[in-house]
Amino acid sequence: MSGVNEIRSAFLDYFAREGHEKVASSPLVPRNDPTLMFTNAGMVQFKNVFTGLEKRDYQRAVTSQKCVRAGGKHNDLDNVGYTARHHTFFEMLGNFSFGDYFKERAIELAWNLITREYAIPADRLLVTVYSEDEEAAVLWRKIAGLSDDRIIRIATSDNFWSMGETGPCGPCSEIFYDHGEGIPGGPPGSPDEDGDRFIEIWNLVFMQYEQLSASERVDLPRPSIDTGMGLERIAAVLQGVHDNYDIDLFRALIASVESAVGSRAEGDAVASHRVIADHIRATAFLIADGVLPSNEGRGYVLRRIMRRAMRHAKLLGAREPVLYKILPTLVAEMGRAYPELVRAEALISETLQLEEKRFLQTLDRGLSLLADATEGMNAGERLSGDTAFKLYDTYGFPLDLTQDALRPRGIAVDLDAFNTAMERQKAEARASWVGSGESSSENIWFPVRDRVGATEFLGYDTERAEGAV
Ligand code: ATP
Ligand code: MG
Ligand code: MG
Ligand code: MG
């Protein structure tokens, strides 16, 4: 059984032997790309190479890319703690061909890696292809010897990738691992495909067309390859566990959460331990890449992640700042692969403590307000928008934190009323603002930032790099 660090190295070394340049992960804050909130796939740093705007002195590359999917179009925040396979921060392993090899070689390289190097039994694997990509189906049969029932044709955009309305695009093919009967979930393309039995481990994108306009698409003269495999997901397979949160790295982090908080990861507490372990990683890597908690934009996404983790720590019994105590374990586990973590450790630790101290002042009171407001409520009922707004405005509860707190009880928030309260407050603040003290400026800020949250956040991480890899 190999650990995450060895699995990452094995991937990079394998593709390096196959003539790929090892390229470092780019930062989580994309350079020169205001359309994207966070780097969410390996191809992000190569966008301009794929479109031909930029030239590199290599035609094949391999990376392990830091990714965050917690804002914008790709938002897995609400999956964390609920699925076996999603994180807010994760590493995407990828090999890329810039007009060099194409479909056949890409499939061969992927298949050889997983069945030979990683020695995954072929009978646990199945693949999807785009319904119109007969060529890919034929290649899978030829190269992998997969029977037709293991080559699933998908007609939706899940299996067709595009960079935007125009630009490179093409079909993709995803490799799934069957974790076995007994785990709920059906194969890709079936009605219960969102279960966790068949887990997507690798996505291969065949960029073979260029979309010139809504109606015109031409063949690319030199098609390209873009792939992405979740390191934590392949590690789960190789370590013989079903759940990403049971791999070596997460076991270490969760053990550290246990000792920091003084609560065992058992029974109902498991989800909170997982959320904290996940969110501490996202927090640390975002701060290391220059994001600091704030009330707008990227900083507000970070603050939301941090505060969600803090509420879960509180649930587990924490009474004082504890998250910073987990940091040394993270640095020990990942600092060699990502030295920026080591360099930023002091800053991350300090930021965690400050943010936690600050939020703890209102967290308790906010939680008791929430408890009072929902006393006797049943699943299917809704929390009033005014209460959600008060929690937000007075106690610093981001809306999604309140929603996260109520989700296990099946209670939703009255969003229309919440937005109305926000608008009203904003109008009042505008009318009465005379440049007085701190709290009134906070009152102005909060609505503004949430408007940004409601509008820009969704638009931010637009179609570009969508579909990801
Ligand atoms: P899923 O359907 O499971 O949400 P996806 O299709 O959104 O995955 P891609 O955009 O194809 O994922 O990303 C490429 C690979 O990155 C996936 O095959 C998976 O292994 C990994 N991956 C994607 N999202 C996450 C996540 N939130 N946490 C961990 N790994 C992820
Ligand atoms: Mg997804
Ligand atoms: Mg998918
Ligand atoms: Mg995919």
Side-chain angles (χ1 to χ4, degrees):
M1 179 181 85
S2 6
V4 161
N5 288 314
E6 290 84 58
I7 296 167
R8 183 196 304 108
S9 303
F11 184 94
L12 297 172
D13 292 344
Y14 169 83
F15 281 103
R17 284 198 304 278
E18 297 290 345
H20 294 65
E21 176 89 8
K22 281 189 192 176
V23 178
S25 172
S26 64
L28 285 167
V29 177
R31 292 191 191 101
N32 310 323
D33 194 346
T35 64
L36 192 62
M37 177 162 285
F38 298 119
T39 300
N40 59 15
M43 62 77 62
V44 170
Q45 67 166 318
F46 299 117
K47 265 190 202 175
N48 289 343
V49 187
F50 284 119
T51 56
L53 272 175
E54 200 186 317
K55 284 265 171 293
R56 301 273 169 106
D57 51 13
Y58 45 80
Q59 288 191 305
R60 304 173 173 199
V62 59
T63 61
S64 177
Q65 175 65 50
K66 300 182 281 188
C67 294
V68 165
R69 293 190 174 184
K73 207 162 181 178
H74 271 299
N75 188 350
D76 287 331
L77 194 51
D78 289 327
N79 288 324
V80 174
Y82 290 93
T83 71
R85 68 185 199 278
H86 289 107
H87 307 292
T88 53
F89 170 92
F90 65 99
E91 288 177 69
M92 195 185 284
L93 303 167
N95 58 294
F96 306 90
S97 154
F98 309 114
D100 187 44
Y101 63 82
F102 194 49
K103 211 175 282 187
E104 175 156 17
R105 188 70 187 134
I107 291 176
E108 232 166 48
L109 286 167
W111 187 251
N112 287 346
L113 174 71
I114 53 183
T115 58
R116 292 194 197 151
E117 294 279 316
Y118 286 156
I120 297 174
D123 62 3
R124 303 298 286 266
L125 298 166
L126 55 163
V127 302
T128 61
V129 296
Y130 186 53
S131 53
E132 290 166 29
D133 190 6
E134 188 52 34
E135 186 189 8
V138 168
L139 287 169
W140 277 115
R141 212 175 301 128
K142 178 178 126 190
I143 294 163
L146 288 175
S147 55
D148 273 342
D149 59 324
R150 292 185 162 263
I151 303 173
I152 299 171
R153 287 151 212 264
I154 305 276
T156 65
S157 62
D158 267 4
N159 279 66
F160 194 89
W161 180 90
S162 55
M163 200 178 274
E165 318 247 292
T166 56
C169 59
C172 40
S173 182
E174 298 187 323
I175 304 175
F176 285 74
Y177 180 82
D178 179 2
H179 280 272
E181 282 169 30
I183 298 163
S190 72
D192 52 348
E193 65 173 1
D194 281 335
D196 272 336
R197 174 175 165 182
F198 296 88
I199 290 191
E200 174 189 330
I201 51 174
W202 203 348
N203 193 352
L204 315 181
V205 179
F206 311 127
M207 283 185 208
Q208 64 190 86
Y209 308 115
E210 179 166 9
Q211 194 75 40
L212 298 174
S213 68
S215 58
E216 201 185 355
R217 180 193 285 173
V218 295
D219 285 347
L220 278 174
R222 297 176 63 207
S224 290
I225 292 293
D226 156 29
T227 86
M229 169 157 71
L231 172 61
E232 299 80 0
R233 293 188 191 184
I234 188 71
V237 171
L238 296 179
Q239 295 179 14
V241 296
H242 163 240
D243 198 302
N244 281 14
Y245 291 88
D246 286 327
I247 65 175
D248 59 333
L249 167 66
F250 273 99
R251 277 178 196 270
L253 287 173
I254 288 170
S256 178
V257 175
E258 288 182 318
S259 64
V261 185
S263 138
R264 303 269 304 151
E266 289 167 351
D268 288 348
V270 170
S272 291
H273 282 85
R274 292 177 169 194
V275 170
I276 295 169
D278 174 88
H279 289 10
I280 190 83
R281 271 207 324 162
T283 298
F285 275 94
L286 284 169
I287 296 173
D289 278 352
V291 182
L292 287 172
S294 76
N295 285 342
E296 52 180 356
R298 297 182 173 111
Y300 190 52
V301 177
L302 170 61
R303 174 162 281 165
R304 284 163 50 207
I305 294 172
M306 295 173 86
R307 291 192 172 178
R308 276 169 90 119
M310 288 169 203
R311 189 188 69 86
H312 282 279
K314 182 89 207 170
L315 273 184
L316 298 177
R319 291 170 177 280
E320 52 188 48
V322 290
L323 297 180
Y324 75 97
K325 295 182 182 168
I326 306 157
L327 185 60
T329 306
L330 178 68
V331 175
E333 295 288 325
M334 298 191 70
R336 271 187 65 162
Y338 296 100
E340 63 268 36
L341 268 192
V342 182
R343 287 195 295 270
E345 185 171 0
L347 172 68
I348 301 165
S349 181
E350 218 169 283
T351 308
L352 276 164
Q353 288 178 69
L354 272 176
E355 189 68 13
E356 233 177 331
K357 247 187 227 143
R358 193 171 155 193
F359 189 46
L360 281 173
Q361 290 168 2
T362 58
L363 178 58
D364 257 338
R365 281 181 293 144
L367 287 174
S368 53
L369 173 72
L370 186 60
D372 290 346
T374 57
E375 206 187 303
M377 272 172 81
N378 296 311
E381 291 188 63
R382 289 195 301 178
L383 176 73
S384 88
D386 283 337
T387 307
F389 183 72
K390 183 164 186 195
L391 285 167
Y392 163 76
D393 190 42
T394 311
Y395 300 98
F397 281 34
L399 176 61
D400 66 280
L401 184 148
T402 302
Q403 292 169 318
D404 185 46
L406 295 176
R407 180 167 162 182
R409 294 174 58 194
I411 300 171
V413 174
D414 182 344
L415 288 179
D416 287 343
F418 176 85
N419 290 329
T420 307
M422 180 85 77
E423 291 301 321
R424 187 173 57 232
Q425 219 242 22
K426 197 189 157 207
E428 282 168 14
R430 216 190 280 116
S432 68
W433 190 67
V434 284
S436 55
E438 259 249 35
S439 67
S440 67
S441 72
E442 281 260 294
N443 285 345
I444 292 170
W445 259 117
F446 278 11
V448 168
R449 97 182 159 202
D450 211 68
R451 270 188 69 80
V452 172
T455 55
E456 234 171 285
F457 278 13
L458 294 173
Y460 236 84
D461 160 17
T462 50
E463 24 335 304
R464 259 139 276 272
E466 149 63 4
V469 287

